[in-house]
Each structure stands twice: as C-alpha cells, then as structure tokens.
Amino acid sequence: MHLVKKITVLGSGIMGHGIAQVCAMAGYNVTLRDIESSLLDKALEKVKWSLSKLVEKQKITQIEADRIFHRITPEVDLELSLRDTDLLIEAVPEDLGLKKKVYTDVDKFAEEKTLYASNTSTLPITEMAALTGRPERFIGLHFFNPPQLMRLVEIIPGRGTNQHTINTALDFVMRVGKEPVLCRKDVAGFIVNRIFIPLVHEAAYCLERDGVSMTQIDSAVKYKMGFPMGIFELADYTGLDVIFKATSEMYSRDTRIVHPHPKIKELVDAQNLGQKTGKGFYEYSGNTYERVNLTPEEAAKYNPISLVAVSANNAAWLISNNVCTKEDVDKALRLGMGLKKDLFGTVEIFGVGNVVEKLREMASKYGSRYDPDVYLQSYKSK
Ligand code: CAA
C-alpha cells in the first residue's frame, strides 16, 4: 500500500476547505490550493470558525485547534502546491470542462508517486481518469457536506483503477476517521446522490401535487423519515447551484434517474443559491450556519409517502444493479446524510405494499420512471 504523508487539496470551496481540515485534524500536512489568495483567505476563515466550534463543544482543545490550523498551507502556485504530494484531492467546481483543464495542468507538475482522487459528486470517474496520464491511479473519494461532521466517504473506482489505489483510498479514509462505502459501479450520482438529488425534485413536485407548504414537507421529512434537516432546507444548505449541476449531469446520463423540477433552475438563474446567498427555497439572515424551524405539529399535517417511495425505489435500483448492498445504502445514508432511521426501516413503517402501490399510482399518473424496482417488489419485511 502507498503510505500517504502529504496531501494537496485543489479547490478551497465548501468541500475543499472542509476536506483540508479533516486531513489536518488527522495529523496530515495539507496544501490547500486555489486560484486567488482572497479565496484561500475566506477558506481559512471557515476552517477557523469550524475549529472554534469544535473547541466550544470540547471535541478538541484550543492548542490542538492551533496545531491543526497550522498544518494547512494555502498556496496559489499549482506547481508548488503539488510538490512532494502523495495524494491529490481535487474539489474544484463540478464542470467537466474545468476539471479537464485542471487535470491537464496537474499532469504537467504532479510527481510520479502522486495518486489522484476526485471529490466529484456525480461526474463519471472513468471519464475523468481518462483525462490524466494515470487512470489506474485515479479514484473517486466523495466526502459529504460538512466534511468536518459527516462520517461517510464514498469510494468510487473507475473502470481502470487498480487494486493498490483502492486499498490506499480505503486505508486513507479510515486514517482520517471516516467510514468508507465502496460504490462498486461508476453510476450517475453514486449511492447517496442517486437518492438525494431526485428527492429534492420530487419534494418540489409534492408542493404542487399535494398542495402543502415547504415547512410541512420539511417537517415530515425530518420527523417521519428521520432526516436531520428538511429536504428543502438541505438543498439550500448544499447549494442550489450544486444541486442543479448534479441534476444536469445525472439527467444527461439517463433521463429516467431524475425528473428535473423547473423551480431549481429558476432559483439558480436568479442567483438564489440557498443559504450562502441569503435566499433559496427559504430566506436567511446571512449567518454562517442557519436552520429552518421545523416542528412535529407541522409534520403531522403531511404524509410523505411519495418521498419515501421515490427514495426507496432509487435505493432499490442501486441494490438490484449490484452497485452496493442494502447495508451499504443504510450506512451511506446514516453517515452521509445523518439519517436517524434506516430507509428500509421507514419503508417498513409505511408498509412495503403501500409504498409499492404508491409507486404504481405515480407511474400511472406521471410516467413509467416511477415503476417500482424489482428489488422493492420482492422486498420482505423483517
Ligand atoms: N464544523 C464544525 N461545527 C459545525 C459545522 C462545521 N462545518 N457545521 C455546523 N456545525 C455546528 C453548528 O454550528 C452547531 O453548533 P451550535 O450547537 O453551537 O449551534 C452544531 O454543529 C450542531 O448543529 P445543529 O444543532 O444544527 O445540529 P444537527 O444535529 O442537525 O447537526 C448537521 C448538523 C451535522 C449538519 C446535520 O443537520 C446533518 O447531518 N445534516 C444533513 C447534512 C447532509 O445531508 N449532508 C450531505 C449533503 S449531500 C452532499 O454533501 C453530497 C453532494 O455531493 C451534494
């Protein structure tokens, strides 16, 4: 196995700065690279805020926080940032054209020993690996937002990724205190986003179809499906630009995966990108971290069976297509999205028969993309 000592994170946005912090917290020296020092300054401010939260909650001491902070070196010069790096984690915006440019430049400077990992949330790993001179040493390492708190990392080998790289990735993920789930096939959305992204759109359709409010849906998602946040709240928290890009990518690969609701594009076109711009589905006051007020009383007003059905159907697709096991789905949703209840446990509470029936009803009204997956049809309650 390849022993990782020095790490370079490319891109200092929401994911990049968080991943750099996670690595520094595990004792690694990290170079955080971005194209402008003003972006790096903002990223380091966010790291400071996060570390101060962890100190406040007594997860680490102030002395440890200071040491962690100093393990992160900001760098604008790409060549310098790649010097002596064992593992490169690319977390630049989700645009294949941009990634192409980044990997062409990286290939000029990276040392022979450097393994490449992309934190892409939906782009095809095999295609990105092919942009580089080392496809056998290229892998997907997908962290979840906020990386400092979410314990999951999806590991996605491309078609050409060798076993040595997979083993190194598994070992690295555990060394940074995270839990890996192997996504056996390079499918659109991997595991979590295959469930999460279509759910955002479905919730937007439910607003109209069921004539309910956002907080009713969100409260039901939180109190009846075990999510830590409502789905619109989570979309705003993730960033609607991120959701939109992931949607477009998934839809371009297969139109049956996700049924884009126009509201997301409208919000993105108006630059209402969620919490970070002060407005998305909800409005925010501009604080670093804000939550929407969701209540059990509001939850009582809405039955989220369509949302349970659509998430379970996408999970079922992953299982019947041998992308991962049912246990992997439950683990990924628990550690990547903070679900407090297993998805299939929720399906059992709503009744497998009712869920399948709901999908059939939706298929007859809205199209065959809702047809229940074979795994769900033959699912036996415990
Ligand atoms: N670092 C340190 N502390 C942080 C933090 C960070 N980055 N972000 C938030 N916190 C703090 C909060 O400020 C809060 O502190 P206070 O108590 O002092 O206010 C504390 O953590 C806990 O927050 P909450 O009280 O709001 O509690 P919570 O139990 O809901 O936990 C959460 C917060 C972990 C974010 C939880 O809501 C959660 O798991 N949400 C779902 C997140 C999710 O689904 N992520 C995946 C999105 S999809 C994705 O990332 C993939 C993709 O490719 C698009």
Side-chain angles (χ1 to χ4, degrees):
M1 194 158 14
H2 185 84
L3 192 62
V4 174
K5 290 198 206 103
K6 199 207 137 191
I7 296 166
T8 299
V9 178
L10 292 188
S12 67
I14 294 186
M15 298 308 291
H17 87 268
I19 295 169
Q21 182 183 330
V22 164
C23 297
M25 288 179 72
Y28 290 105
N29 289 323
V30 191
T31 299
L32 180 60
R33 193 265 171 178
D34 215 319
I35 50 173
E36 279 176 25
S37 56
S38 61
L39 297 172
L40 289 165
D41 292 344
K42 277 191 203 142
L44 291 178
E45 275 311 308
K46 289 195 190 123
V47 171
K48 257 193 198 145
W49 174 82
S50 172
L51 289 171
S52 73
K53 276 279 162 197
L54 299 175
V55 172
E56 196 182 303
K57 301 208 178 303
Q58 299 184 337
K59 300 247 166 70
I60 54 173
T61 64
Q62 186 59 51
I63 295 170
E64 283 167 331
D66 294 342
R67 283 201 190 118
I68 293 164
F69 189 76
H70 286 107
R71 282 189 203 118
I72 305 176
T73 309
E75 182 58 73
V76 171
D77 186 303
L78 181 65
E79 184 173 4
L80 282 181
S81 79
L82 291 169
R83 199 164 282 171
D84 200 32
T85 283
D86 301 291
L87 177 66
L88 164 87
I89 305 179
E90 170 272 306
V92 307
E94 291 286 84
D95 174 328
L96 197 55
L98 174 66
K99 304 247 190 209
K100 207 174 207 167
K101 182 176 176 328
V102 167
Y103 283 116
T104 309
D105 291 344
V106 162
D107 255 1
K108 283 186 213 145
F109 304 122
E111 296 183 15
E112 189 48 34
K113 65 172 184 174
T114 309
L115 298 185
Y116 292 180
S118 175
N119 178 59
T120 183
S121 55
T122 37
L123 293 169
I125 300 300
T126 306
E127 221 172 285
M128 282 199 291
L131 303 172
T132 74
R134 55 190 80 178
E136 72 293 350
R137 284 173 294 140
F138 190 110
I139 197 157
L141 271 190
H142 185 211
F143 287 76
F144 289 79
N145 185 31
Q148 297 94 335
L149 303 186
M150 307 315 288
R151 285 180 51 220
L152 178 73
V153 179
E154 289 176 336
I155 296 191
I156 313 104
R159 263 200 297 279
T161 309
N162 65 22
Q163 192 58 43
H164 174 86
T165 304
I166 299 174
N167 293 346
T168 303
L170 284 164
D171 181 67
F172 165 74
V173 166
M174 288 189 285
R175 283 178 194 263
V176 293
K178 302 289 178 193
E179 290 270 350
V181 165
L182 191 66
C183 180
R184 290 189 211 127
K185 292 186 185 167
D186 186 7
V187 297
F190 312 136
I191 299 172
V192 169
N193 279 340
R194 184 93 188 190
I195 298 169
F196 169 44
I197 301 294
L199 193 60
V200 175
H201 294 274
E202 199 55 38
Y205 284 110
C206 287
L207 279 174
E208 301 150 13
R209 290 175 187 165
D210 300 336
V212 282
S213 69
M214 283 195 302
T215 50
Q216 281 166 356
I217 293 182
D218 269 1
S219 297
V221 165
K222 180 165 173 171
Y223 291 100
K224 295 183 175 170
M225 292 173 69
F227 280 59
M229 292 177 163
I231 195 71
F232 296 114
E233 181 187 20
L234 179 57
D236 278 355
Y237 175 68
T238 304
L240 293 166
D241 49 341
V242 173
I243 305 276
F244 180 69
K245 279 194 182 132
T247 303
S248 310
E249 170 59 27
M250 290 165 77
Y251 190 75
S252 75
R253 282 166 79 181
D254 181 353
T255 56
R256 285 176 64 89
I257 305 174
V258 55
H259 181 40
H261 189 287
K263 178 80 183 163
I264 282 104
K265 183 169 185 312
E266 275 166 33
L267 288 168
V268 171
D269 286 346
Q271 284 300 299
N272 292 323
L273 306 181
Q275 203 181 298
K276 61 187 166 192
T277 60
K279 191 168 187 296
F281 282 106
Y282 295 103
E283 295 202 9
Y284 301 87
S285 69
N287 288 334
T288 317
Y289 176 74
E290 272 178 81
R291 299 298 302 269
V292 177
N293 185 28
L294 305 173
T295 63
E297 292 72 31
E298 286 283 281
K301 296 177 190 155
Y302 184 60
N303 176 0
I305 187 159
S306 327
L307 300 178
V308 173
V310 167
S311 348
N313 211 25
N314 286 323
W317 183 91
L318 290 166
I319 300 164
S320 55
N321 285 280
N322 204 23
V323 176
C324 63
T325 63
K326 171 180 172 294
E327 288 66 34
D328 290 334
V329 167
D330 284 332
K331 179 176 171 186
L333 294 179
R334 193 170 67 247
L335 303 179
M337 296 187 78
L339 257 67
K340 295 182 177 73
K341 285 187 210 166
D342 285 348
L343 178 57
F344 285 96
T346 302
V347 169
E348 291 189 25
I349 292 169
F350 280 75
V352 183
N354 296 333
V355 166
V356 170
E357 196 41 50
K358 185 72 196 176
L359 287 166
R360 290 208 175 104
E361 181 196 316
M362 291 165 86
S364 72
K365 278 193 194 159
Y366 309 120
S368 62
R369 66 181 170 279
Y370 290 105
D371 282 340
D373 186 84
V374 44
Y375 177 83
L376 204 52
Q377 291 188 58
S378 55
Y379 184 83
K380 298 270 176 293
S381 296
K382 274 183 233 140

